[in-house]
Amino acid sequence: MNRKILFLHGEFPCGGAERVTIDIANYVVLHGYDVYVLARKVNNKECPNITIIELPDSKDTNSLINANFIISTLNALPIDIFILPIQILNHLNYIKSNIHCKLIFALHSLPLWEVIFNLYQKKKRNKSSFLKSLEWRLLTYPKTIWLKKYDKPFIEKHQQAYEQADIYTVLCDEYKQILINKLGLPQGDNKVRVIYNSERTIEHINRNKKKQILFVGRMEYEDKRVDRLIDIWGMIYKKAPDWELLLVGDGEERNALEAQAQKMQLQRIHFVGYSNNPQIYYRDASILCLTSNFEGWPLCLTEAQANGVVPIAFDCTAGVHEILSPSGVNGLLVPPFKLKKYAHTLLALLNSPEKLKEMQGNVILKSKNYSPEIVGKKWLALFESLKN
């Protein structure tokens, strides 16, 4: 009889965390596992190797109605391993006390990402007012980043997840150390495991690239900060007349970003919109740019590498650093958040076709470190270790 695992998602399929779930499912079904997904919103029920079940409350994943449905589903199937990617449920203690399966909490971002996200939410709300913006710079930012005044409620939530989980996974070794330090865990804690996200191998890579610079992702201010990329393009586009910038994605910031580009009278910048097949853009682009405030393990960087697209990003987190290191070989890292330095680095690469070609080969090789087979084996070993 096959063992059964179940993932909980808000929307499915949707973004990076959901794609990772699909990759895990595709691997472990070959090794005696049945895979289920519970989701508040189902975007596509036809997902090979996964049985998708809709939650009864489509508005709030965290509702008590959904908590009771989760419990009944886990017990009725019955599920052997329950996996929570990213989201810490409000009723987690209640759910755990009424189920008999193992629980894995999978952190697909950096530890305490909520602190930084909330910080930039406040900046976004206050940026239209000079006085509020000044307050953000002089009070809110120092209290958050330097004095750690707002860490406590999020630390408590992650401590709860840690206590309830049988295993807590993070994306790289440095994130494990951060988590150990923040939660006051013993060094060498065996409950915290490191498994990075997988990247699919591209069978037929187009090496005859166009002079295209690419952004792929959500257009949200709190984390992605695409406005920085538009400013950077404004610094260099006249010096790179053969190049164009393609922005693939959508989000609440898109209208503001288009207005910004129009106000700056930028040329050769194209807002493509959301695409359920970004592969067609990775195929032709030469360079991918990321200008985020923070990232956990950004799949757009490894997707770019797998397609022979050279990525450039601010060296803002350990996940970004690990993917693009060493800088100048597997991508380019720019000190955060130096826009002029980023523009200079990008323009230098545009003017160095030999270097760009060399790095194109490097990044393809680097992406193979994250193949679904390598990462799938790590998840399978983890599941096997949780057998009763």
Side-chain angles (χ1 to χ4, degrees), residues 162-163 165-170 176-177 179-181 183-194:
Y162 173 84
E163 289 166 2
D166 295 281
I167 295 290
Y168 189 123
T169 69
V170 294
K176 177 176 180 176
Q177 191 57 51
L179 193 71
I180 287 172
N181 294 342
L183 301 190
L185 307 177
Q187 294 296 325
D189 185 286
N190 196 44
K191 186 187 278 193
V192 183
R193 308 287 181 87
V194 176

Side-chain angles (χ1 to χ4, degrees), residues 275-287:
S275 173
N276 59 9
N277 183 26
Q279 181 63 34
I280 61 176
Y281 300 102
Y282 285 120
R283 182 184 182 279
D284 290 332
S286 294
I287 296 168

Side-chain angles (χ1 to χ4, degrees), residues 248-290:
V248 180
D250 209 343
E252 60 184 25
E253 282 290 294
R254 181 175 172 180
N255 290 340
L257 295 169
E258 289 183 340
Q260 177 187 351
Q262 188 173 18
K263 183 178 180 180
M264 295 172 66
Q265 298 183 326
L266 300 180
Q267 299 174 12
R268 304 184 310 282
I269 179 171
H270 309 286
F271 288 83
V272 175
Y274 172 78
S275 173
N276 59 9
N277 183 26
Q279 181 63 34
I280 61 176
Y281 300 102
Y282 285 120
R283 182 184 182 279
D284 290 332
S286 294
I287 296 168
L288 178 125
C289 288
L290 194 62

Side-chain angles (χ1 to χ4, degrees), residues 36-71:
Y36 299 80
V37 165
L38 270 175
R40 172 181 51 80
K41 180 181 178 182
V42 177
N43 297 321
N44 180 8
K45 288 188 176 181
E46 301 301 321
C47 197
N49 299 323
I50 297 176
T51 301
I52 303 175
I53 304 169
E54 289 187 71
L55 290 166
D57 185 347
S58 63
K59 295 180 179 179
D60 183 10
T61 307
N62 264 306
S63 70
L64 182 59
I65 292 172
N66 283 338
N68 283 318
F69 187 82
I70 290 167
I71 291 168

Side-chain angles (χ1 to χ4, degrees), residues 195-335:
I195 305 181
Y196 41 71
N197 287 339
S198 58
E199 186 52 60
R200 300 167 187 176
T201 301
I202 304 301
E203 295 298 331
H204 304 289
I205 299 173
N206 174 29
R207 294 176 182 260
N208 186 24
K209 300 291 190 179
K210 296 178 181 179
K211 291 186 175 182
Q212 291 179 345
I213 302 164
L214 193 61
F215 165 84
V216 178
R218 289 174 289 104
M219 294 184 175
E220 293 184 1
Y221 182 83
E222 291 84 352
D223 51 356
K224 298 301 181 183
R225 290 299 304 271
V226 187
D227 58 300
R228 289 175 177 151
L229 180 54
I230 293 174
D231 285 337
I232 290 164
W233 182 243
M235 296 177 195
I236 70 165
Y237 78 95
K238 291 180 181 178
K239 300 173 185 177
D242 297 332
W243 288 81
E244 60 181 344
L245 173 62
L246 275 62
L247 302 166
V248 180
D250 209 343
E252 60 184 25
E253 282 290 294
R254 181 175 172 180
N255 290 340
L257 295 169
E258 289 183 340
Q260 177 187 351
Q262 188 173 18
K263 183 178 180 180
M264 295 172 66
Q265 298 183 326
L266 300 180
Q267 299 174 12
R268 304 184 310 282
I269 179 171
H270 309 286
F271 288 83
V272 175
Y274 172 78
S275 173
N276 59 9
N277 183 26
Q279 181 63 34
I280 61 176
Y281 300 102
Y282 285 120
R283 182 184 182 279
D284 290 332
S286 294
I287 296 168
L288 178 125
C289 288
L290 194 62
T291 51
S292 303
N293 283 324
F294 68 94
E295 295 281 353
W297 187 274
L299 291 176
C300 66
L301 296 183
T302 56
E303 286 171 346
Q305 289 176 327
N307 283 276
V309 181
V310 177
I312 304 177
F314 286 122
D315 193 1
C316 57
T317 61
V320 172
H321 189 90
E322 186 158 323
I323 293 168
L324 300 191
S325 291
S327 181
V329 177
N330 295 314
L332 290 165
L333 291 163
V334 181

